[in-house]
Amino acid sequence: MTFFSVIVPCFNVEDTIIQTISSVQNQTFKSFEIVAIDDGSTDNTLKILKLYDNDPTFRIISQNNKGLGYARNIGIRNAKGDFVCLLDADDLWKYNRLQKIYNCINSFNPELISNDEIIYDENKKISYLINKPPKNFRSLLLGGNTLSPSAMTIKKSIFDSIGYFIEDRELSGLEDWDYWLRVYKNGKIIHYINEPLGVYRRDVQNMSKENDFFKKVLKIYN
């Protein structure tokens, strides 16, 4: 039985994906699978993913470009684990992250877990990304998204009750914020591990820098 399913959407990430996958494969806790979704990449991403074809813990889903929300959802729907771990294809995990999450689940039986991350910019550590869950729905709505997808672990059954990530291409980059808002609206509690267990790499281009980002934010508010 697989405990964790690690969902990695991939679109033109040939420069970072090997390091990202390695950070999962090097975990001390071994009951996991990696589900990599190639979302219509036009670079060498799919070719790199196929290098892992002989790894029984690794699966590839290849599709035409349908956006981040759809890519995450197809990975989650094909997940075999009890818990889903989201991981962006340019981020990294500390070697014992899954063991820490597993210990937390055994101790507190949470349905959702967040942890802190270290922020790197051009391969230099610059600060910490505090992923402490907001106090309530209002705080998350008015304060903006403060939860990094790569630092989130979600019990798979949650998706049956709350649903999946929004697939609206006009909200690309805000799928996670929309989902956390629905988590809070449904009265779910996010357990917080006050420890950096991953690396958020800012040197890779971020969707939040797009010119129409604030238009998307207004659409979420509406």
Side-chain angles (χ1 to χ4, degrees), residues 70-215:
Y70 189 96
R72 279 203 183 118
N73 289 342
I74 197 68
I76 294 166
R77 288 190 172 98
N78 283 275
K80 298 177 180 178
D82 295 329
F83 281 80
V84 167
C85 295
L86 305 177
L87 179 58
D88 288 344
D90 52 0
D91 291 337
L92 307 171
W93 282 350
K94 191 176 176 182
Y95 69 94
N96 61 348
R97 180 182 187 268
L98 290 183
Q99 184 65 60
K100 293 273 188 175
I101 300 295
Y102 179 78
N103 293 345
C104 173
I105 292 168
N106 278 341
S107 297
F108 303 103
N109 196 30
E111 293 181 297
L112 300 101
I113 307 117
S114 70
N115 60 261
D116 292 340
E117 296 172 295
I118 298 170
I119 300 176
Y120 269 70
D121 194 346
E122 296 181 351
N123 295 318
K124 294 179 182 179
K125 175 181 173 182
I126 58 173
S127 62
Y128 288 98
L129 183 60
I130 306 300
N131 290 307
K132 186 176 182 179
K135 292 181 179 180
N136 50 45
F137 174 87
R138 180 182 175 85
S139 296
L140 178 59
L141 180 65
L142 298 181
N145 189 14
T146 57
L147 299 170
S148 167
S150 297
M152 292 296 298
T153 301
I154 306 167
K155 194 170 186 178
K156 193 182 177 187
S157 60
I158 286 287
F159 295 97
D160 295 328
S161 59
I162 295 180
Y164 291 77
F165 287 93
I166 193 168
E167 297 178 359
D168 186 347
R169 297 293 289 265
E170 292 184 8
L171 291 176
S172 180
L174 296 183
E175 301 90 349
D176 52 331
W177 186 30
D178 171 80
Y179 195 79
W180 314 142
L181 287 168
R182 283 187 280 139
V183 163
Y184 273 82
K185 198 170 185 179
N186 281 271
K188 299 296 184 180
I189 296 173
I190 301 175
H191 186 92
Y192 174 50
I193 298 178
N194 183 18
E195 182 180 350
L197 299 177
V199 174
Y200 175 81
R201 294 198 284 187
R202 265 182 34 179
D203 53 311
V204 182
Q205 193 159 16
N206 195 303
M207 275 187 287
S208 64
K209 295 178 181 178
E210 294 178 355
N211 292 331
D212 61 345
F213 178 74
F214 290 106
K215 293 181 182 178

Side-chain angles (χ1 to χ4, degrees), residues 9-11 37-41 46 60-75:
C10 303
F11 177 71
I37 305 93
D38 179 65
D39 191 33
S41 296
L46 183 57
I60 304 170
I61 298 173
S62 183
Q63 63 184 31
N64 294 329
N65 182 258
K66 296 181 179 180
L68 181 56
Y70 189 96
R72 279 203 183 118
N73 289 342
I74 197 68

Side-chain angles (χ1 to χ4, degrees), residues 4 21-32 93-103 197:
F4 293 110
I21 292 171
S22 294
S23 76
V24 181
Q25 292 181 323
N26 292 332
Q27 292 291 305
T28 55
F29 185 88
K30 296 299 183 182
S31 182
F32 67 82
W93 282 350
K94 191 176 176 182
Y95 69 94
N96 61 348
R97 180 182 187 268
L98 290 183
Q99 184 65 60
K100 293 273 188 175
I101 300 295
Y102 179 78
N103 293 345
L197 299 177

